């Protein structure tokens, strides 16, 4: 009996990637011995060799089975390699390897000790420590664990969340002594400096809390906002717009593409059909630079730019495959992000929403921006409900009222801050419009969050 050549089967890559990702997902919850994974790999290779020797050609079904076994074993082995870490007691001296953030009345930063252990340090608020400083830290050293929910919601495994970034200790109430500066990556130092300068410039043209909200949308995420405003956004089901992750960046990427496409058509540049997509990719890249090039933002940007880049080839179906391949490369680099990195999850879901949900929504909504925003929101909603444990009953009307304003607020606010470097007077018209848009978002959030039936506990 003749067997179809293996090369004619079109979904081999899909089977391998799904098998690899499935194994990583399983290994995130259940320990799989590297010996067992290696045994499965040997079995997969053995099936291929036996089939080839016996029948001279490998049957499609046999090849798929062997490929799946190999993918499962490699996924488990990759997770085991990432998860293996001989935890040492960190030394008191080392380098600040992250940009400090002020949150919950402390300044937090990641400290890499001289024996290469990472520690999340909580120093006094507004401490002058910066990325690249050599410091000596002393305080209460702890191993992070489960954070129990105070309102009966879902518990949070803080230890595994930090472990995805190889952080196994926290240091609370730390005393930080700066020994010297300028020992970080010079590129990252420059990026963080640009970001800090950009935030200060925004605060010089906008009052609070409008400046913090704009920075939360663009470069700083929800950590830039006061707790009371964050709680209002959460109750109104709008918290996703101030989480600097896949939702925001996917919005930015698609919004820029539409703006450039309309602009190029109006200018008559029809001879360059790929120019809008290329301009959008450049715009997103500049946005990543402005945010400081954090790993979570880079991952989200890669997700969004993958779909845009796929469109350059003129093949709609290639976007999903390109997204799948990009996700696989990210898992290969760090398999723990699949389960323990909300930014990766939001990025992937938001981009899937653009690929699969948006074509359906566009049939009923004539506005591109509205369709893309609703599509991404529908895609990320189940994850937001799962992670927060409740659902906002006012989310739909609240988001419908701000959907069109969010991309324009981010875009106009960004341009306004850039223009203010040249002249505050020159930037004033855009600053005024940005202020109105930010005010509208805050008004909508406050009104809907104040309703007694705003949220319902589900989990």
């Amino acid at each position: 009996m003749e067997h179809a050549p293996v090369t004619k089967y079109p979904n081999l890559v899909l089977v391998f990637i799904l098998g690899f990702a499935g194994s990583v997902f399983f290994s995130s919850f259940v320990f799989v011995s590297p010996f067992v994974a290696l045994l499965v790999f040997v079995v997969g290779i053995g099936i291929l060799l036996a089939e080839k020797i016996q029948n001279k050609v490998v049957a499609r079904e046999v090849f798929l089975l062997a490929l799946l076994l190999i993918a499962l074993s490699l996924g488990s082995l990759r997770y085991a390699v990432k998860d293996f870490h001989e935890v040492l007691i960190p030394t008191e001296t080392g380098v600040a390897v992250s940009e400090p953030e002020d949150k919950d009345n402390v300044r937090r930063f990641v400290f890499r000790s001289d024996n290469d252990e990472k520690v999340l340090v909580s120093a006094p608020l507004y401490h002058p420590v910066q990325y690249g400083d050599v410091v000596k830290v002393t305080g209460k050293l702890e191993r992070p664990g489960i954070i129990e929910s105070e309102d009966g919601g879902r518990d949070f495994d803080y230890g595994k969340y930090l472990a995805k970034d190889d952080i196994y200790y926290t240091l609370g109430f730390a005393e930080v002594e700066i020994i010297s500066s300028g020992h970080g990556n010079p590129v990252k130092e420059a990026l963080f400096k640009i970001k800090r300068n950009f935030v200060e410039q925004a605060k010089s043209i906008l009052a609070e809390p409008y400046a913090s909200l704009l920075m939360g949308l663009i470069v700083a995420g929800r950590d830039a906002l006061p707790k009371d405003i964050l709680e209002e956004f959460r109750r109104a089901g709008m918290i996703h717009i101030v989480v600097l992750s896949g939702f925001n960046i996917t919005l930015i990427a698609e919004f820029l593409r539409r703006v450039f496409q309309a602009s190029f058509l109006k200018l008559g540049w029809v001879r360059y059909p790929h120019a809008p997509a290329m301009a959008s990719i450049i715009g997103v890249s500049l946005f990543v630079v402005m945010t400081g090039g954090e790993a979570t933002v880079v991952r989200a940007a890669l997700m969004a730019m993958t779909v845009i880049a796929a469109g350059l080839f003129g093949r709609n179906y290639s976007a999903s495959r390109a997204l799948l391949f990009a996700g696989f490369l990210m898992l290969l680099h760090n398999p723990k992000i699949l389960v323990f990195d909300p930014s990766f999850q939001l990025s992937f879901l938001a981009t899937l929403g653009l690929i699969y949900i948006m074509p359906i929504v566009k049939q009923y909504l004539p506005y591109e921006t509205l369709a893309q925003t609703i599509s991404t929101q529908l895609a990320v909603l189940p994850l937001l409900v799962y992670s927060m444990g409740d659902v906002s009953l006012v989310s739909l009307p609240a988001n419908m009222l701000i959907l069109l304003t969010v991309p324009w607020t981010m875009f106009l606010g960004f341009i306004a801050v850039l223009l203010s470097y040249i002249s505050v007077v020159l930037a004033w018209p855009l600053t005024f419009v940005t202020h109105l848009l930010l005010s509208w978002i805050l008004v909508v959030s406050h009104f809907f969050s104040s309703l007694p039936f705003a949220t319902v506990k589900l989990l």
Side-chain angles (χ1 to χ4, degrees):
M1 179 168 123
E2 269 186 50
H3 300 293
V6 172
T7 54
K8 289 187 177 180
Y9 193 71
N11 294 319
L12 297 182
V13 175
L14 178 64
V15 170
F16 180 84
I17 292 178
L18 292 180
F20 183 91
S23 180
V24 167
F25 182 83
F26 182 80
S27 300
S28 300
F29 300 98
V30 180
F31 172 75
V32 179
S33 169
F35 176 77
V36 173
L38 188 60
L39 181 61
V40 173
F41 179 82
V42 172
V43 170
I45 295 296
I47 290 175
L48 282 178
L49 293 176
E51 178 75 1
K52 182 68 175 178
I53 293 173
Q54 182 176 353
N55 298 321
K56 306 300 181 183
V57 64
V58 181
R60 180 176 59 189
E61 296 80 6
V62 175
F63 187 85
L64 283 175
L65 174 62
L67 184 66
L68 184 59
L69 291 175
I70 292 172
L72 291 172
S73 64
L74 290 179
S76 181
L77 284 171
R78 179 65 188 96
Y79 191 91
V81 170
K82 175 64 179 176
D83 200 42
F84 177 77
H85 183 85
E86 184 180 355
V87 182
L88 305 173
I89 301 298
T91 60
E92 291 185 344
T93 57
V95 181
V97 294
S98 74
E99 182 188 27
E101 63 176 14
D102 296 321
K103 182 180 180 181
D104 298 333
N105 296 319
V106 296
R107 167 159 282 198
R108 292 180 181 172
F109 65 95
V110 178
F111 163 83
R112 187 192 295 276
S113 65
D114 290 338
N115 61 349
D116 212 34
E117 284 290 336
K118 283 185 176 181
V119 183
L120 181 61
V121 178
S122 296
L125 190 64
Y126 305 126
H127 190 284
V129 63
Q130 294 294 343
Y131 168 78
D133 288 349
V134 173
V135 296
K136 179 180 179 181
V137 296
T138 55
K140 187 178 179 182
L141 193 67
E142 294 181 337
R143 293 289 299 271
I146 303 292
I147 299 178
E148 296 183 357
S149 174
E150 297 180 355
D151 55 359
R154 184 177 300 279
D155 295 339
F156 179 60
D157 195 332
Y158 192 48
K160 288 187 176 180
Y161 171 77
L162 293 180
K164 80 181 190 306
D165 297 318
D166 300 322
I167 300 173
Y168 297 93
Y169 287 101
T170 60
L171 191 67
F173 307 102
E175 294 183 5
V176 181
E177 177 188 348
I178 300 175
I179 299 174
S180 59
S181 303
H183 298 272
N185 182 297
V187 176
K188 291 188 72 173
E189 285 186 345
L191 292 177
F192 290 144
K193 185 176 181 180
I194 292 173
K195 177 181 176 180
R196 290 194 301 270
N197 187 271
F198 187 82
V199 171
E200 291 302 318
Q201 188 68 19
K203 291 181 178 180
S204 71
I205 63 173
L206 284 169
E208 294 292 358
Y210 308 103
S212 291
L213 177 55
L214 179 62
M215 292 301 96
L217 292 171
I218 299 178
V219 297
R222 61 183 176 183
D223 294 331
L225 292 170
K227 280 187 174 181
D228 56 339
I229 294 181
L230 278 177
E231 179 61 21
E232 288 185 354
F233 274 90
R234 189 192 68 79
R235 284 182 55 81
M238 296 162 49
I239 189 67
H240 53 276
I241 73 169
V242 288
V243 178
L244 190 56
S245 62
F247 183 86
N248 299 61
I249 295 176
T250 302
L251 274 183
I252 293 169
E254 185 65 13
F255 177 73
L256 287 177
R257 189 179 72 82
R258 296 293 177 183
V259 168
F260 286 127
Q261 188 176 52
S263 301
F264 288 1
L265 283 175
K266 186 167 290 188
L267 292 172
W269 294 356
V270 293
R271 292 180 298 174
Y272 309 102
H274 300 323
M278 290 299 298
S280 178
I281 291 175
I282 293 172
V284 173
S285 301
L286 291 174
F287 174 83
V288 171
V289 171
M290 186 60 66
T291 62
E294 290 284 8
T296 54
V297 180
V298 172
R299 283 197 290 267
L302 284 175
M303 287 289 185
M305 289 191 293
T306 295
V307 177
I308 297 174
L312 292 174
F313 298 98
R315 295 159 50 185
N316 293 330
Y317 65 85
S318 67
S320 56
R321 295 187 179 184
L323 176 64
L324 193 65
F325 185 67
F328 168 71
L329 292 179
M330 294 176 193
L331 291 183
L332 197 60
H333 176 258
N334 185 356
K336 288 191 174 183
I337 64 175
L338 180 63
V339 173
F340 304 114
D341 189 346
S343 174
F344 173 82
Q345 297 161 6
L346 286 170
S347 305
F348 199 87
L349 290 175
T351 313
L352 281 178
L354 282 180
I355 296 173
Y356 293 108
I357 301 179
M358 186 172 171
I360 301 174
V361 175
K362 282 175 62 177
Q363 297 177 11
Y364 304 96
L365 291 174
Y367 300 106
E368 290 287 349
T369 304
L370 187 61
Q372 76 184 44
T373 313
I374 289 179
S375 300
T376 51
Q377 185 188 347
L378 288 174
V380 302
L381 182 61
L383 177 61
L384 293 175
V385 171
Y386 174 81
S387 59
M388 295 181 185
D390 54 26
V391 62
S392 173
L393 298 182
V394 297
S395 175
L396 183 59
N399 279 278
M400 288 294 290
L401 288 173
I402 66 163
L403 284 179
L404 291 177
T405 66
V406 171
W408 282 108
T409 304
M410 298 171 74
F411 179 71
L412 295 177
F414 182 76
I415 300 300
V417 177
L418 290 182
L419 287 176
S420 69
Y421 281 99
I422 303 173
S423 169
V424 175
V425 175
L426 182 65
W428 188 86
L430 287 183
T431 303
F432 178 72
V433 175
T434 302
H435 181 274
L436 292 178
L437 293 173
L438 292 168
S439 300
W440 173 248
I441 294 174
L442 289 172
V443 166
V444 171
S445 171
H446 178 74
F447 172 77
F448 283 100
S449 66
S450 62
L451 297 177
F453 54 86
T455 60
V456 173
K457 180 67 66 177
L458 294 180
L459 301 174

